[in-house]
Amino acid sequence: METINYSLKGIKELTNEGLLLVNGGGFAYDLGFLLREMVIYAANGGNGPGVVAVSVDLSLKYRPV
């Protein structure tokens, strides 16, 4: 198998700190979690049981970025 070496001038590898700063995830994470909660609400029949299921899921799983 042949190895190809690319020379990319001006491009640097991100450090771990840089990766955390450029996660792009705050909005995407929240939007995905909103969709998750909507599905949980609907799957539990809405109204009271749906609100309880969403509340429990939020308290156990949601970790804001």
Side-chain angles (χ1 to χ4, degrees), residues 6-20:
Y6 293 100
S7 175
L8 301 173
K9 295 180 182 179
I11 295 178
K12 298 179 184 177
E13 184 177 358
L14 288 173
T15 63
N16 287 336
E17 293 79 21
L19 288 171
L20 291 174

Side-chain angles (χ1 to χ4, degrees), residues 3-45:
T3 302
I4 300 173
N5 294 323
Y6 293 100
S7 175
L8 301 173
K9 295 180 182 179
I11 295 178
K12 298 179 184 177
E13 184 177 358
L14 288 173
T15 63
N16 287 336
E17 293 79 21
L19 288 171
L20 291 174
L21 292 173
V22 188
N23 68 6
F27 176 74
Y29 179 80
D30 290 339
L31 181 62
F33 216 86
L34 172 66
L35 294 174
R36 170 193 172 100
E37 298 307 328
M38 290 171 64
V39 168
I40 290 173
Y41 179 80
N44 285 282

Side-chain angles (χ1 to χ4, degrees), residues 37 40-41 43-45 47-60:
E37 298 307 328
I40 290 173
Y41 179 80
N44 285 282
N47 296 327
V51 171
V52 170
V54 167
S55 299
V56 169
D57 186 64
L58 274 172
S59 65
L60 294 176

